[in-house]
Structures are given as C-alpha cells and as structure tokens.
PDB file of all heavy atoms in Angstrom:
ATOM      1  N   SER B   1     -58.438 230.978 -16.079  1.00 96.00           N
ATOM      2  CA  SER B   1     -57.396 231.364 -15.130  1.00 96.00           C
ATOM      3  C   SER B   1     -56.667 230.109 -14.660  1.00 96.00           C
ATOM      4  O   SER B   1     -57.160 228.990 -14.817  1.00 96.00           O
ATOM      5  CB  SER B   1     -57.987 232.119 -13.938  1.00 96.00           C
ATOM      6  OG  SER B   1     -58.916 231.316 -13.235  1.00 96.00           O
ATOM      7  N   ILE B   2     -55.504 230.328 -14.076  1.00 91.00           N
ATOM      8  CA  ILE B   2     -54.695 229.207 -13.625  1.00 91.00           C
ATOM      9  C   ILE B   2     -54.184 229.485 -12.216  1.00 91.00           C
ATOM     10  O   ILE B   2     -53.799 230.613 -11.899  1.00 91.00           O
ATOM     11  CB  ILE B   2     -53.543 228.936 -14.619  1.00 91.00           C
ATOM     12  CG1 ILE B   2     -52.872 227.606 -14.332  1.00 91.00           C
ATOM     13  CG2 ILE B   2     -52.557 230.086 -14.642  1.00 91.00           C
ATOM     14  CD1 ILE B   2     -52.006 227.117 -15.478  1.00 91.00           C
ATOM     15  N   ASP B   3     -54.219 228.477 -11.391  1.00 88.00           N
ATOM     16  CA  ASP B   3     -53.672 228.535 -10.029  1.00 88.00           C
ATOM     17  C   ASP B   3     -52.533 227.533  -9.993  1.00 88.00           C
ATOM     18  O   ASP B   3     -52.739 226.353  -9.700  1.00 88.00           O
ATOM     19  CB  ASP B   3     -54.765 228.186  -9.020  1.00 88.00           C
ATOM     20  CG  ASP B   3     -54.263 228.196  -7.583  1.00 88.00           C
ATOM     21  OD1 ASP B   3     -53.055 228.442  -7.368  1.00 88.00           O
ATOM     22  OD2 ASP B   3     -55.079 227.958  -6.675  1.00 88.00           O
ATOM     23  N   ASN B   4     -51.363 228.011 -10.308  1.00 81.00           N
ATOM     24  CA  ASN B   4     -50.239 227.109 -10.469  1.00 81.00           C
ATOM     25  C   ASN B   4     -49.871 226.359  -9.191  1.00 81.00           C
ATOM     26  O   ASN B   4     -49.681 225.141  -9.247  1.00 81.00           O
ATOM     27  CB  ASN B   4     -49.036 227.887 -10.989  1.00 81.00           C
ATOM     28  CG  ASN B   4     -47.888 226.980 -11.329  1.00 81.00           C
ATOM     29  OD1 ASN B   4     -48.097 225.918 -11.912  1.00 81.00           O
ATOM     30  ND2 ASN B   4     -46.708 227.375 -10.962  1.00 81.00           N
ATOM     31  N   PRO B   5     -49.771 227.005  -8.024  1.00 81.00           N
ATOM     32  CA  PRO B   5     -49.387 226.255  -6.818  1.00 81.00           C
ATOM     33  C   PRO B   5     -50.319 225.091  -6.511  1.00 81.00           C
ATOM     34  O   PRO B   5     -49.882 224.075  -5.974  1.00 81.00           O
ATOM     35  CB  PRO B   5     -49.425 227.315  -5.725  1.00 81.00           C
ATOM     36  CG  PRO B   5     -49.224 228.605  -6.427  1.00 81.00           C
ATOM     37  CD  PRO B   5     -49.945 228.431  -7.741  1.00 81.00           C
ATOM     38  N   ASN B   6     -51.605 225.252  -6.837  1.00 84.00           N
ATOM     39  CA  ASN B   6     -52.574 224.202  -6.545  1.00 84.00           C
ATOM     40  C   ASN B   6     -52.893 223.333  -7.754  1.00 84.00           C
ATOM     41  O   ASN B   6     -53.783 222.484  -7.672  1.00 84.00           O
ATOM     42  CB  ASN B   6     -53.866 224.820  -5.998  1.00 84.00           C
ATOM     43  CG  ASN B   6     -53.657 225.424  -4.622  1.00 84.00           C
ATOM     44  OD1 ASN B   6     -53.171 224.753  -3.710  1.00 84.00           O
ATOM     45  ND2 ASN B   6     -54.010 226.692  -4.467  1.00 84.00           N
ATOM     46  N   LYS B   7     -52.176 223.562  -8.848  1.00 85.00           N
ATOM     47  CA  LYS B   7     -52.322 222.738 -10.052  1.00 85.00           C
ATOM     48  C   LYS B   7     -53.761 222.725 -10.553  1.00 85.00           C
ATOM     49  O   LYS B   7     -54.310 221.659 -10.874  1.00 85.00           O
ATOM     50  CB  LYS B   7     -51.839 221.312  -9.792  1.00 85.00           C
ATOM     51  CG  LYS B   7     -50.401 221.219  -9.299  1.00 85.00           C
ATOM     52  CD  LYS B   7     -50.008 219.782  -9.051  1.00 85.00           C
ATOM     53  CE  LYS B   7     -48.610 219.685  -8.482  1.00 85.00           C
ATOM     54  NZ  LYS B   7     -48.210 218.287  -8.224  1.00 85.00           N
ATOM     55  N   MET B   8     -54.376 223.901 -10.601  1.00 91.00           N
ATOM     56  CA  MET B   8     -55.765 223.995 -11.031  1.00 91.00           C
ATOM     57  C   MET B   8     -55.904 225.001 -12.173  1.00 91.00           C
ATOM     58  O   MET B   8     -55.228 226.030 -12.200  1.00 91.00           O
ATOM     59  CB  MET B   8     -56.657 224.452  -9.871  1.00 91.00           C
ATOM     60  CG  MET B   8     -56.713 223.493  -8.696  1.00 91.00           C
ATOM     61  SD  MET B   8     -57.526 221.937  -9.095  1.00 91.00           S
ATOM     62  CE  MET B   8     -59.200 222.516  -9.375  1.00 91.00           C
ATOM     63  N   VAL B   9     -56.819 224.708 -13.073  1.00 94.00           N
ATOM     64  CA  VAL B   9     -57.198 225.628 -14.138  1.00 94.00           C
ATOM     65  C   VAL B   9     -58.705 225.814 -14.047  1.00 94.00           C
ATOM     66  O   VAL B   9     -59.439 224.847 -13.824  1.00 94.00           O
ATOM     67  CB  VAL B   9     -56.808 225.085 -15.521  1.00 94.00           C
ATOM     68  CG1 VAL B   9     -57.211 226.080 -16.604  1.00 94.00           C
ATOM     69  CG2 VAL B   9     -55.316 224.821 -15.570  1.00 94.00           C
ATOM     70  N   TYR B  10     -59.160 227.023 -14.218  1.00 97.00           N
ATOM     71  CA  TYR B  10     -60.573 227.328 -14.069  1.00 97.00           C
ATOM     72  C   TYR B  10     -61.141 227.968 -15.328  1.00 97.00           C
ATOM     73  O   TYR B  10     -60.427 228.625 -16.081  1.00 97.00           O
ATOM     74  CB  TYR B  10     -60.786 228.293 -12.897  1.00 97.00           C
ATOM     75  CG  TYR B  10     -60.272 227.779 -11.587  1.00 97.00           C
ATOM     76  CD1 TYR B  10     -59.057 228.212 -11.071  1.00 97.00           C
ATOM     77  CD2 TYR B  10     -61.002 226.831 -10.865  1.00 97.00           C
ATOM     78  CE1 TYR B  10     -58.585 227.734  -9.861  1.00 97.00           C
ATOM     79  CE2 TYR B  10     -60.532 226.350  -9.653  1.00 97.00           C
ATOM     80  CZ  TYR B  10     -59.323 226.801  -9.155  1.00 97.00           C
ATOM     81  OH  TYR B  10     -58.861 226.313  -7.958  1.00 97.00           O
ATOM     82  N   LEU B  11     -62.433 227.770 -15.501  1.00 98.00           N
ATOM     83  CA  LEU B  11     -63.174 228.481 -16.536  1.00 98.00           C
ATOM     84  C   LEU B  11     -64.425 229.046 -15.872  1.00 98.00           C
ATOM     85  O   LEU B  11     -65.351 228.304 -15.548  1.00 98.00           O
ATOM     86  CB  LEU B  11     -63.547 227.565 -17.699  1.00 98.00           C
ATOM     87  CG  LEU B  11     -64.234 228.273 -18.866  1.00 98.00           C
ATOM     88  CD1 LEU B  11     -63.245 229.213 -19.574  1.00 98.00           C
ATOM     89  CD2 LEU B  11     -64.794 227.265 -19.873  1.00 98.00           C
ATOM     90  N   GLN B  12     -64.409 230.338 -15.629  1.00 98.00           N
ATOM     91  CA  GLN B  12     -65.572 231.014 -15.083  1.00 98.00           C
ATOM     92  C   GLN B  12     -66.501 231.384 -16.229  1.00 98.00           C
ATOM     93  O   GLN B  12     -66.090 232.087 -17.151  1.00 98.00           O
ATOM     94  CB  GLN B  12     -65.157 232.274 -14.315  1.00 98.00           C
ATOM     95  CG  GLN B  12     -66.307 233.070 -13.758  1.00 98.00           C
ATOM     96  CD  GLN B  12     -67.069 232.330 -12.667  1.00 98.00           C
ATOM     97  OE1 GLN B  12     -66.466 231.717 -11.794  1.00 98.00           O
ATOM     98  NE2 GLN B  12     -68.390 232.376 -12.719  1.00 98.00           N
ATOM     99  N   MET B  13     -67.732 230.912 -16.155  1.00 98.00           N
ATOM    100  CA  MET B  13     -68.686 231.126 -17.237  1.00 98.00           C
ATOM    101  C   MET B  13     -69.874 231.916 -16.695  1.00 98.00           C
ATOM    102  O   MET B  13     -70.586 231.434 -15.804  1.00 98.00           O
ATOM    103  CB  MET B  13     -69.154 229.785 -17.802  1.00 98.00           C
ATOM    104  CG  MET B  13     -68.007 228.879 -18.235  1.00 98.00           C
ATOM    105  SD  MET B  13     -68.565 227.377 -19.074  1.00 98.00           S
ATOM    106  CE  MET B  13     -69.465 226.572 -17.753  1.00 98.00           C
ATOM    107  N   ASN B  14     -70.055 233.103 -17.211  1.00 98.00           N
ATOM    108  CA  ASN B  14     -71.160 233.973 -16.806  1.00 98.00           C
ATOM    109  C   ASN B  14     -72.101 234.211 -17.976  1.00 98.00           C
ATOM    110  O   ASN B  14     -71.745 233.968 -19.130  1.00 98.00           O
ATOM    111  CB  ASN B  14     -70.615 235.310 -16.306  1.00 98.00           C
ATOM    112  CG  ASN B  14     -69.709 235.167 -15.092  1.00 98.00           C
ATOM    113  OD1 ASN B  14     -69.907 234.292 -14.251  1.00 98.00           O
ATOM    114  ND2 ASN B  14     -68.712 236.028 -14.995  1.00 98.00           N
ATOM    115  N   SER B  15     -73.278 234.681 -17.659  1.00 98.00           N
ATOM    116  CA  SER B  15     -74.280 234.986 -18.693  1.00 98.00           C
ATOM    117  C   SER B  15     -74.444 233.828 -19.662  1.00 98.00           C
ATOM    118  O   SER B  15     -74.428 234.012 -20.882  1.00 98.00           O
ATOM    119  CB  SER B  15     -73.882 236.259 -19.451  1.00 98.00           C
ATOM    120  OG  SER B  15     -73.749 237.354 -18.579  1.00 98.00           O
ATOM    121  N   LEU B  16     -74.607 232.655 -19.119  1.00 98.00           N
ATOM    122  CA  LEU B  16     -74.673 231.453 -19.946  1.00 98.00           C
ATOM    123  C   LEU B  16     -75.888 231.467 -20.858  1.00 98.00           C
ATOM    124  O   LEU B  16     -76.956 231.994 -20.512  1.00 98.00           O
ATOM    125  CB  LEU B  16     -74.681 230.220 -19.052  1.00 98.00           C
ATOM    126  CG  LEU B  16     -73.300 229.851 -18.488  1.00 98.00           C
ATOM    127  CD1 LEU B  16     -73.441 228.939 -17.275  1.00 98.00           C
ATOM    128  CD2 LEU B  16     -72.456 229.194 -19.567  1.00 98.00           C
ATOM    129  N   LYS B  17     -75.691 230.859 -22.014  1.00 97.00           N
ATOM    130  CA  LYS B  17     -76.733 230.768 -23.024  1.00 97.00           C
ATOM    131  C   LYS B  17     -76.973 229.291 -23.347  1.00 97.00           C
ATOM    132  O   LYS B  17     -76.103 228.449 -23.118  1.00 97.00           O
ATOM    133  CB  LYS B  17     -76.305 231.507 -24.289  1.00 97.00           C
ATOM    134  CG  LYS B  17     -75.924 232.959 -24.081  1.00 97.00           C
ATOM    135  CD  LYS B  17     -75.407 233.568 -25.367  1.00 97.00           C
ATOM    136  CE  LYS B  17     -74.986 235.025 -25.167  1.00 97.00           C
ATOM    137  NZ  LYS B  17     -74.457 235.632 -26.425  1.00 97.00           N
ATOM    138  N   ALA B  18     -78.118 229.024 -23.934  1.00 96.00           N
ATOM    139  CA  ALA B  18     -78.443 227.639 -24.297  1.00 96.00           C
ATOM    140  C   ALA B  18     -77.386 227.062 -25.232  1.00 96.00           C
ATOM    141  O   ALA B  18     -77.055 225.872 -25.147  1.00 96.00           O
ATOM    142  CB  ALA B  18     -79.819 227.581 -24.936  1.00 96.00           C
ATOM    143  N   GLU B  19     -76.828 227.878 -26.092  1.00 96.00           N
ATOM    144  CA  GLU B  19     -75.825 227.394 -27.043  1.00 96.00           C
ATOM    145  C   GLU B  19     -74.480 227.083 -26.400  1.00 96.00           C
ATOM    146  O   GLU B  19     -73.575 226.571 -27.063  1.00 96.00           O
ATOM    147  CB  GLU B  19     -75.631 228.396 -28.190  1.00 96.00           C
ATOM    148  CG  GLU B  19     -75.384 229.823 -27.755  1.00 96.00           C
ATOM    149  CD  GLU B  19     -76.661 230.655 -27.766  1.00 96.00           C
ATOM    150  OE1 GLU B  19     -77.725 230.150 -27.299  1.00 96.00           O
ATOM    151  OE2 GLU B  19     -76.591 231.813 -28.213  1.00 96.00           O
ATOM    152  N   ASP B  20     -74.328 227.373 -25.114  1.00 98.00           N
ATOM    153  CA  ASP B  20     -73.119 226.979 -24.397  1.00 98.00           C
ATOM    154  C   ASP B  20     -73.192 225.532 -23.903  1.00 98.00           C
ATOM    155  O   ASP B  20     -72.223 225.002 -23.357  1.00 98.00           O
ATOM    156  CB  ASP B  20     -72.883 227.895 -23.189  1.00 98.00           C
ATOM    157  CG  ASP B  20     -72.589 229.330 -23.584  1.00 98.00           C
ATOM    158  OD1 ASP B  20     -71.846 229.536 -24.551  1.00 98.00           O
ATOM    159  OD2 ASP B  20     -73.118 230.241 -22.910  1.00 98.00           O
ATOM    160  N   THR B  21     -74.322 224.909 -24.093  1.00 97.00           N
ATOM    161  CA  THR B  21     -74.511 223.520 -23.655  1.00 97.00           C
ATOM    162  C   THR B  21     -73.542 222.584 -24.362  1.00 97.00           C
ATOM    163  O   THR B  21     -73.335 222.700 -25.571  1.00 97.00           O
ATOM    164  CB  THR B  21     -75.952 223.077 -23.928  1.00 97.00           C
ATOM    165  OG1 THR B  21     -76.830 223.831 -23.072  1.00 97.00           O
ATOM    166  CG2 THR B  21     -76.137 221.589 -23.649  1.00 97.00           C
ATOM    167  N   GLY B  22     -72.961 221.670 -23.602  1.00 98.00           N
ATOM    168  CA  GLY B  22     -72.066 220.689 -24.185  1.00 98.00           C
ATOM    169  C   GLY B  22     -71.170 220.066 -23.137  1.00 98.00           C
ATOM    170  O   GLY B  22     -71.213 220.453 -21.958  1.00 98.00           O
ATOM    171  N   ALA B  23     -70.358 219.117 -23.580  1.00 98.00           N
ATOM    172  CA  ALA B  23     -69.345 218.543 -22.714  1.00 98.00           C
ATOM    173  C   ALA B  23     -68.101 219.416 -22.813  1.00 98.00           C
ATOM    174  O   ALA B  23     -67.648 219.719 -23.916  1.00 98.00           O
ATOM    175  CB  ALA B  23     -69.032 217.118 -23.132  1.00 98.00           C
ATOM    176  N   TYR B  24     -67.569 219.814 -21.673  1.00 98.00           N
ATOM    177  CA  TYR B  24     -66.407 220.697 -21.632  1.00 98.00           C
ATOM    178  C   TYR B  24     -65.171 219.896 -21.232  1.00 98.00           C
ATOM    179  O   TYR B  24     -65.196 219.153 -20.244  1.00 98.00           O
ATOM    180  CB  TYR B  24     -66.648 221.835 -20.642  1.00 98.00           C
ATOM    181  CG  TYR B  24     -67.520 222.923 -21.210  1.00 98.00           C
ATOM    182  CD1 TYR B  24     -68.873 222.696 -21.457  1.00 98.00           C
ATOM    183  CD2 TYR B  24     -66.999 224.172 -21.536  1.00 98.00           C
ATOM    184  CE1 TYR B  24     -69.670 223.685 -22.003  1.00 98.00           C
ATOM    185  CE2 TYR B  24     -67.791 225.175 -22.077  1.00 98.00           C
ATOM    186  CZ  TYR B  24     -69.127 224.926 -22.305  1.00 98.00           C
ATOM    187  OH  TYR B  24     -69.919 225.919 -22.845  1.00 98.00           O
ATOM    188  N   TYR B  25     -64.111 220.082 -21.994  1.00 98.00           N
ATOM    189  CA  TYR B  25     -62.878 219.332 -21.805  1.00 98.00           C
ATOM    190  C   TYR B  25     -61.719 220.269 -21.499  1.00 98.00           C
ATOM    191  O   TYR B  25     -61.544 221.288 -22.176  1.00 98.00           O
ATOM    192  CB  TYR B  25     -62.543 218.524 -23.053  1.00 98.00           C
ATOM    193  CG  TYR B  25     -63.584 217.499 -23.418  1.00 98.00           C
ATOM    194  CD1 TYR B  25     -64.640 217.824 -24.249  1.00 98.00           C
ATOM    195  CD2 TYR B  25     -63.500 216.200 -22.922  1.00 98.00           C
ATOM    196  CE1 TYR B  25     -65.610 216.888 -24.583  1.00 98.00           C
ATOM    197  CE2 TYR B  25     -64.450 215.248 -23.255  1.00 98.00           C
ATOM    198  CZ  TYR B  25     -65.503 215.604 -24.087  1.00 98.00           C
ATOM    199  OH  TYR B  25     -66.460 214.673 -24.409  1.00 98.00           O
ATOM    200  N   CYS B  26     -60.934 219.884 -20.541  1.00 97.00           N
ATOM    201  CA  CYS B  26     -59.700 220.573 -20.219  1.00 97.00           C
ATOM    202  C   CYS B  26     -58.568 219.912 -21.002  1.00 97.00           C
ATOM    203  O   CYS B  26     -58.569 218.686 -21.188  1.00 97.00           O
ATOM    204  CB  CYS B  26     -59.453 220.461 -18.711  1.00 97.00           C
ATOM    205  SG  CYS B  26     -57.922 221.172 -18.123  1.00 97.00           S
ATOM    206  N   ALA B  27     -57.616 220.707 -21.451  1.00 96.00           N
ATOM    207  CA  ALA B  27     -56.516 220.169 -22.241  1.00 96.00           C
ATOM    208  C   ALA B  27     -55.224 220.893 -21.905  1.00 96.00           C
ATOM    209  O   ALA B  27     -55.239 222.058 -21.510  1.00 96.00           O
ATOM    210  CB  ALA B  27     -56.827 220.311 -23.729  1.00 96.00           C
ATOM    211  N   ALA B  28     -54.111 220.176 -22.093  1.00 93.00           N
ATOM    212  CA  ALA B  28     -52.795 220.756 -21.859  1.00 93.00           C
ATOM    213  C   ALA B  28     -51.878 220.412 -23.022  1.00 93.00           C
ATOM    214  O   ALA B  28     -51.955 219.305 -23.569  1.00 93.00           O
ATOM    215  CB  ALA B  28     -52.204 220.234 -20.553  1.00 93.00           C
ATOM    216  N   ASP B  29     -51.037 221.351 -23.374  1.00 90.00           N
ATOM    217  CA  ASP B  29     -50.101 221.053 -24.454  1.00 90.00           C
ATOM    218  C   ASP B  29     -48.796 220.521 -23.849  1.00 90.00           C
ATOM    219  O   ASP B  29     -48.743 220.154 -22.685  1.00 90.00           O
ATOM    220  CB  ASP B  29     -49.882 222.271 -25.346  1.00 90.00           C
ATOM    221  CG  ASP B  29     -49.054 223.365 -24.678  1.00 90.00           C
ATOM    222  OD1 ASP B  29     -48.679 223.217 -23.488  1.00 90.00           O
ATOM    223  OD2 ASP B  29     -48.782 224.382 -25.337  1.00 90.00           O
ATOM    224  N   SER B  30     -47.773 220.474 -24.647  1.00 82.00           N
ATOM    225  CA  SER B  30     -46.482 219.987 -24.189  1.00 82.00           C
ATOM    226  C   SER B  30     -45.398 220.817 -24.865  1.00 82.00           C
ATOM    227  O   SER B  30     -45.676 221.587 -25.779  1.00 82.00           O
ATOM    228  CB  SER B  30     -46.325 218.505 -24.525  1.00 82.00           C
ATOM    229  OG  SER B  30     -46.049 218.348 -25.904  1.00 82.00           O
ATOM    230  N   PRO B  31     -44.162 220.667 -24.426  1.00 76.00           N
ATOM    231  CA  PRO B  31     -43.082 221.438 -25.050  1.00 76.00           C
ATOM    232  C   PRO B  31     -42.928 221.180 -26.541  1.00 76.00           C
ATOM    233  O   PRO B  31     -42.317 221.985 -27.244  1.00 76.00           O
ATOM    234  CB  PRO B  31     -41.844 220.967 -24.272  1.00 76.00           C
ATOM    235  CG  PRO B  31     -42.374 220.573 -22.940  1.00 76.00           C
ATOM    236  CD  PRO B  31     -43.716 219.959 -23.222  1.00 76.00           C
TER     237      PRO B  31
END
C-alpha cells in the first residue's frame, strides 16, 4: 500500500513462513 501525503510505502506481511526470510528492499521506478 502507499500513503502518498506522508511519502510512505508499506508491505503488510501476514502468515509468515520460514521461506519469507531475507533482506527486503524498497524500490521506485522513474518516468
């Protein structure tokens, strides 16, 4: 999800599994 006024992007992760382990990176594209 994105909260544009506050310049935030979120990733809500539920029912996590061991295979979800890792470093998580946020990324943005450009025009």
Side-chain angles (χ1 to χ4, degrees):
S1 61
I2 192 164
D3 179 358
N4 187 42
N6 292 306
K7 303 179 183 180
M8 297 293 293
V9 180
Y10 302 101
L11 184 68
Q12 178 66 44
M13 306 187 296
N14 299 327
S15 302
L16 282 161
K17 304 175 181 179
E19 51 263 43
D20 295 319
T21 293
Y24 281 69
Y25 299 89
C26 177
D29 72 357
S30 76

